[in-house]
Amino acid sequence: MKDFAISDDPAVQAQLDRLGALSLPQGRFGLETIREILSRLGDPQKRLPPTFHVAGTNGKGSTCAYLRAMLEAQGLKVHAATKPHLVRYNERIRLAGSLISDAELAERLEQVLDQSEDLNPSFFEVTAAATFLAFAEHPADACVIEVGLGGRFDATNVLERPAACGVATLGIDHEAFLLRPEAGVPQEPLSRIAFEKASIARPGSPLVTQAYAPEVTKAVLDVAMQVGARTALRDLDWSVQVGETIAYRDARGELSLPLPALAGRHQADNVALAVAMLRHQDAVTVSPEAMAEGIRAARWPARLQLLGDGPLTALVPGRKVWLDGGHNVDAGLAIARHFAGYPLHLVTGMLTTKDPSAIVSPLADQLLSISAVPAPGHDAHRPEDFAPFTSLPVGSFADVPAALAALPPQGEVLIAGSLYLAGEVLRLNRQIPD
C-alpha cells in the first residue's frame, strides 16, 4: 500500500519517486523496522518537545488541527504531522507553523532512504522517520502527531512518553489490515479497532478518549491497564454539552467555549477531545482564552469545506460547492446530518477498497443526482457499483470538471468519497493548503 505524491521541485520528486516504489511488505507487521531506521538516524523521536499523539477512525485529523491551533494561540511553536496530504507531500510535515520547505524535504527523505534501503522499509516508515528527523532539528514547544493506519503498528507508535494520547471516534475502516485474524486480541470488530487504536497508550501518559459502547470501552481500558496508562474517558472523567456554546466539564472545573468555524456538528466533539487532551496533561499550559481563540481559528481542508471562487466553482456559478474527503459509513452519516433537508448533487470518486454505499446511502433521500469520477492515482468504483444503493441513475465522467459542467442548474453540490479526489479538487480550484 502506498500513497500518491508528486512535486514541482525536481529534487523532491527524485526522492518521492524512490518513496513511491516502496510498499508494505506482505505479511510484515511490527515496529522493528521503524525502530532500526530511527536508531541509524540517532533516534530523533527521543529529542522531541512534549508530544500529543492522536488516533481514531474519524476526527483525528480535525482533533490535531484544534490542538495545533490552541497551542499556537497560546504563543507556542508547534510541529505537526498529519496525513494523508491533499495536494503536496509537504503538508505532512509542519515545522513550527510552516510547511517543510522543498529543500529540507528532499534532504530528509534522502537521508532516511539512504540509511534504510537494505531494510525494505514501507512508505509510512520512511515518512515517519523523515518527520521525526525534521522535528528534532528544529526547536519547538510542542508536537502534534496524527496516527496513520491503526495505532499499534503505525510507524508513529515509537514515542516513549507523550504528553497525552487521544483516541477519536471509532468505526470500521481498513478492515484488511485492522481486522485480520490474530490470536490473543479482541475479535468483535469495533472492539478490535479500539484495541488497535488504543495501543498508542504509554506508561504514565494520559489516554484520553471519546465515549464508546461498553464492550468497546472495555477494550480500551484493557490496553491502558496492561501498559500502565492513565485514562480520561468521556462521560466518566470529562463531559461536554453542545448548544450555543461548548460546555466542557472535568475535575478541574468547567469551561464555556465557542463553537468551531469548521462545519458539521461532529466538530464540537473533536474540539472537546482536543480540550480534554490539553486539560489532562501537565507538560504545557494552555489558557481557556487561548483554547477559545484556537477553536475559532482552526482550519482543516477537505472536511465539509465550502469551496471558494476558482476555476472549478466557476463551472457552477452562483451555487455552493462543498468538499469532503470522508469515505466510510461514519463519515457518511456525519455528512448527512450536516446537509439534512438540503437537496444535493453528489460527485464522488471512491476507492475500490471502500464501501460504495458509505456516502450514497446516508444521503439517499436528498440526492438530486450522482456522478462517478476517477480517484487520481487509484482504482475507483464504477457507476454500476453504486447502483444497488440508489434509485437514481449514476453518471460516469472523465473528471470533476466534466461532472460539474453537466449538472442541472439547481441545487448545491457535494464532492465527496476520497481524500485523493479532494486533493485533486483543491488543486484544480487553486486552493492549495498552506
Side-chain angles (χ1 to χ4, degrees):
M1 180 179 180
K2 62 184 179 180
D3 233 324
F4 181 68
I6 58 175
S7 175
D8 293 331
D9 184 282
V12 174
Q13 190 60 53
Q15 302 310 316
L16 293 179
D17 288 342
R18 297 174 67 187
L19 191 59
L22 304 177
S23 63
L24 181 65
Q26 292 300 312
R28 194 194 85 194
F29 295 93
L31 299 175
E32 293 81 7
T33 300
I34 182 62
R35 291 190 190 281
E36 175 60 23
I37 295 171
L38 291 169
S39 176
R40 294 181 182 187
L41 295 168
D43 282 320
Q45 81 282 6
K46 296 181 180 180
R47 306 196 305 273
L48 304 185
T51 299
F52 296 84
H53 201 197
V54 186
T57 306
N58 290 304
K60 60 183 182 291
S62 297
T63 300
C64 288
Y66 291 119
L67 281 168
R68 179 170 72 87
M70 288 188 277
L71 289 161
E72 289 179 340
Q74 185 66 39
L76 304 177
K77 291 184 178 180
V78 184
H79 295 330
T82 55
K83 51 192 70 69
H85 62 276
L86 294 170
V87 181
R88 302 172 65 216
Y89 183 96
N90 309 57
E91 297 164 36
R92 294 171 176 263
I93 306 173
R94 186 176 293 272
L95 301 175
S98 300
L99 297 186
I100 189 170
S101 67
D102 284 338
E104 180 161 5
L105 176 59
E107 179 183 357
R108 300 304 176 199
L109 287 176
E110 184 175 20
Q111 282 181 274
V112 176
L113 288 162
D114 287 350
Q115 287 287 337
S116 63
E117 196 168 13
D118 62 310
L119 298 174
N120 190 26
S122 72
F123 177 103
F124 307 109
E125 288 162 341
V126 171
T127 296
T131 300
F132 290 136
L133 191 60
F135 283 2
E137 295 300 320
H138 292 265
D141 303 300
C143 288
V144 176
I145 296 177
E146 179 184 359
V147 170
L149 180 60
R152 180 167 55 133
F153 294 137
D154 185 74
T156 66
N157 196 25
V158 292
L159 304 168
E160 294 180 354
R161 184 67 186 273
C165 301
V167 181
T169 303
L170 297 175
I172 304 300
D173 203 355
H174 300 293
E175 294 93 326
F177 289 90
L178 301 184
L179 299 180
R180 66 191 184 282
E182 183 179 352
V185 301
Q187 297 303 305
E188 190 277 325
L190 269 181
S191 295
R192 173 63 180 276
I193 295 289
F195 164 78
E196 297 289 344
K197 308 285 188 183
S199 291
I200 65 171
R202 288 293 180 271
S205 295
L207 179 66
V208 186
T209 79
Q210 296 282 14
Y212 314 118
E215 66 275 11
V216 178
T217 298
K218 180 181 183 303
V220 172
L221 289 172
D222 286 347
V223 172
M225 184 176 299
Q226 183 176 359
V227 304
R230 298 183 283 120
T231 56
L233 311 181
R234 181 171 176 173
D235 294 342
L236 181 64
D237 301 291
W238 61 276
S239 63
V240 64
Q241 296 292 325
V242 180
E244 296 297 317
T245 63
I246 298 173
Y248 173 93
R249 176 182 298 174
D250 61 21
R252 295 173 56 188
E254 300 181 11
L255 296 176
S256 179
L257 297 167
L259 295 174
L262 290 175
R265 289 188 297 170
H266 58 286
Q267 289 295 351
D269 293 321
N270 298 328
V271 165
L273 179 62
V275 170
M277 289 180 68
L278 292 174
R279 297 267 288 188
H280 286 87
Q281 56 81 44
D282 54 13
V284 295
T285 299
V286 179
S287 70
E289 293 76 17
M291 290 180 183
E293 181 181 342
I295 291 167
R296 295 189 188 98
R299 298 294 182 269
W300 192 226
R303 280 73 174 181
L304 286 176
Q305 179 182 359
L306 181 61
L307 293 179
D309 294 336
L312 273 187
T313 53
L315 296 172
V316 283
R319 300 158 73 179
K320 292 181 178 179
V321 181
W322 297 84
L323 179 66
D324 196 282
H327 51 255
N328 56 38
V329 173
D330 285 351
L333 292 171
I335 292 170
R337 284 193 297 270
H338 179 72
F339 290 109
Y342 286 87
L344 291 168
H345 296 282
L346 175 65
V347 178
T348 186
M350 295 190 73
L351 275 59
T352 54
T353 54
K354 305 302 178 184
D355 178 2
S357 71
I359 306 298
V360 172
S361 293
L363 290 167
D365 294 337
Q366 58 205 93
L367 290 179
L368 298 171
S369 71
I370 304 174
S371 303
V373 298
H378 294 77
D379 293 331
H381 282 295
R382 300 167 299 176
E384 54 265 36
D385 297 331
F386 298 97
F389 311 106
T390 178
S391 59
L392 294 171
V394 182
S396 178
F397 296 90
D399 52 29
V400 173
L404 293 180
L407 289 178
Q410 295 83 28
E412 296 186 9
V413 181
L414 170 65
I415 305 172
S418 164
L419 284 168
Y420 301 106
L421 177 64
E424 177 70 359
V425 167
L426 292 173
R427 184 186 69 81
L428 290 172
N429 207 48
R430 298 176 187 167
Q431 290 185 244
I432 309 301
D434 59 4

